[in-house]
Amino acid sequence: MPVIEVQGLHKEYGSAVAVDEVDLSVEEGEVFGVLGPNGAGKSTTVECLLGMRRPDRGSVRVLGLDPVHDRAAVVQRVGAQLQACRVQPRLRVAEVLALYASFYPRAADWREVLERVGLAGTERTAFGRLSGGQQQRVSVALALLGKPELVVFDELTTGLDPAARRGLWQLVRDVRREGSTVVLVSHQMDEVADLCDRVAVLTRGRVRATGTPAELTAAAGDGVEHSLTFRPLPPVDDGVLEALPAVRSVRREGERWTVRGTATVVQAVLAALAEHGSTAAELQVGRVGFEDAYLRLTDQEVAR
Ligand code: ADP
Ligand code: MG
C-alpha cells in the first residue's frame, strides 16, 4: 500500500485555482520530491496531505488515513516542517522542544534531535533571538520529534547557507535510512536531483511530469545528453554536423558553435570535423542535466 495516495485533488482559494486535479502516489521508504516554481501549488498540496486544508474535491489518503477526518492520528504519525512555522518567540529552544516532545507518547530524545539539526548549544536561547536559518532548523527538529513514519519538508533549505544546506541533506538521507518516507518540497534542482528517488513537477497547480530525475531528464530532453561548444578551425559548412544522427541542434553565434545531441554526440562531431580537415578549437563539453529538463518542462507551460 502506498504511504500517500492522492487522486484528483482540487483546491481553490476564492476563484483562484491553487491545485488542479493532482494525482500522486508515494511508496514507503521513498524520498519523493515536489518541485515547481513559486505559486505552483506545492504548499497547498502538502497542507492537504497534513489535514490542514480541506480539499474541494478529490481523495487523499496518508498512511491509509483521511487527513481531515483522522487528523489526530495523522499528526501523531506524520512530521512536518512547514514554510509558516509559528513558535512563541520568548520560549527558549529547550522549552519549545520539550513542549512539542510532550505531544507524542513515544517521542525521540529532544536533545539528540537538536544535535542532529546542528543546534546543540542553543538550548537556553529564546526562539525569537535565533537567526532565520536557526529558526528553520528548529522547525526541522520539531518535524522529527515524534519519530514520524512520514516526514514532509516544505522548502527545507531555502535561505540557508551552503554548509547548513549540506547538513540538512545528510539529515534527509539519515531519516530515510532509518525507514521514514520523506516528501521534499523544493524549487531547487540540485537538491531534488541529489536527494529524491522520484519527483513530481508542478506548474500552475497541475502535475506536469512524474518520474525519477533521470527519467524526467531523458523525457524532457528529447534524448539530449551532451552539449559541446567550440570554434571549428578551419571553418566547415553547417550542414556537415546537422546531418549527423547524434546531433539534435546546431546553433551558431559568430565563430562559436553549440551542438546538442545524444550520448555519442561528442565523438561524432569530433570525427566529422576531422574528416573535413577541421578541429574543435576552445572545446567545452557539458552534460545536459536535470535542471535543463526542469526548465524545459516549466517553460513549456509559460509558452503555452
Ligand atoms: P507554492 O508552495 O508552490 O509556492 P502555494 O500552494 O503556496 O504554492 O500557492 C498556490 C497558489 O495559491 C498561489 O497562487 C498562491 O498565491 C495561492 N494561495 C496560497 N495560499 C493562499 C491563501 N491562503 N489564500 C489565497 N490564495 C492562496
Ligand atoms: Mg510553498
Side-chain angles (χ1 to χ4, degrees):
M1 189 182 61
V3 169
I4 296 172
E5 184 82 80
V6 173
Q7 277 166 358
L9 177 64
H10 191 92
K11 178 74 189 173
E12 300 183 4
Y13 297 108
S15 61
V17 178
V19 176
D20 194 10
E21 307 304 326
V22 160
D23 297 334
L24 292 175
S25 180
V26 178
E27 298 296 324
E28 187 174 345
E30 276 192 308
V31 178
F32 188 89
V34 179
L35 185 61
N38 287 329
K42 305 180 300 294
S43 292
T44 303
T45 300
V46 298
E47 285 162 9
C48 289
L49 296 178
L50 297 165
M52 298 168 61
R53 294 194 190 280
R54 186 184 290 272
D56 298 328
R57 292 198 295 279
S59 89
V60 178
R61 288 265 143 193
V62 174
L63 301 166
L65 304 166
D66 173 341
V68 174
H69 189 260
D70 308 317
R71 180 90 206 274
V74 167
V75 166
Q76 283 295 318
R77 296 171 61 187
V78 181
Q81 171 258 322
L82 297 174
Q83 270 186 295
C85 168
R86 284 184 206 87
V87 169
Q88 160 60 247
R90 276 181 305 202
L91 283 181
R92 294 176 200 274
V93 170
E95 291 166 339
V96 176
L97 272 96
L99 173 67
Y100 277 74
S102 73
F103 299 157
Y104 301 100
R106 42 167 212 123
D109 177 343
W110 66 259
R111 286 188 176 78
E112 267 174 32
V113 175
L114 200 62
E115 173 121 29
R116 289 184 79 173
V117 300
L119 287 180
T122 64
E123 289 84 346
R124 297 188 49 77
T125 310
F127 180 81
R129 293 196 159 256
L130 297 174
S131 71
Q134 287 174 318
Q135 290 186 353
Q136 192 159 342
R137 281 184 276 160
V138 169
S139 72
V140 172
L142 298 182
L144 300 176
L145 276 180
K147 299 187 187 162
E149 291 159 67
L150 167 67
V151 199
V152 176
F153 296 118
D154 193 352
E155 304 213 3
L156 177 69
T157 63
T158 300
L160 297 187
D161 64 54
R165 284 184 83 209
R166 295 282 160 175
L168 288 182
W169 288 10
Q170 189 53 47
L171 181 74
V172 171
R173 292 187 200 102
D174 293 345
V175 166
R176 189 270 204 91
R177 204 181 49 239
E178 288 157 18
S180 300
T181 306
V182 178
V183 171
L184 185 68
V185 174
S186 181
H187 53 229
Q188 303 180 77
M189 262 61 62
D190 55 347
E191 176 163 299
V192 167
D194 196 276
L195 294 175
C196 295
D197 302 302
R198 288 193 310 131
V199 177
V201 178
L202 257 64
T203 60
R204 300 187 195 172
R206 286 184 165 257
V207 177
R208 300 284 314 190
T210 309
T212 66
E215 284 166 356
L216 296 188
T217 307
D222 187 24
V224 171
E225 289 185 31
H226 289 98
S227 72
L228 58 167
T229 304
F230 57 92
R231 190 160 57 82
L233 192 73
V236 291
D237 288 340
D238 306 29
V240 167
L241 301 184
E242 275 167 6
L244 299 172
V247 169
R248 288 283 179 275
S249 69
V250 179
R251 200 178 72 227
R252 291 185 60 168
E253 279 169 65
E255 297 197 324
R256 285 194 77 72
W257 294 23
T258 299
V259 180
R260 292 159 67 96
T262 59
T264 58
V265 68
V266 180
Q267 291 162 46
V269 165
L270 295 181
L273 288 174
E275 210 176 288
H276 288 81
S278 182
T279 58
E282 297 151 39
L283 174 66
Q284 288 178 325
V285 176
R287 224 186 128 69
V288 178
F290 183 53
E291 182 156 355
D292 301 77
Y294 169 75
L295 291 175
R296 246 180 111 130
L297 277 169
T298 45
D299 273 347
Q300 282 170 3
E301 180 73 10
V302 173
R304 231 173 26 168

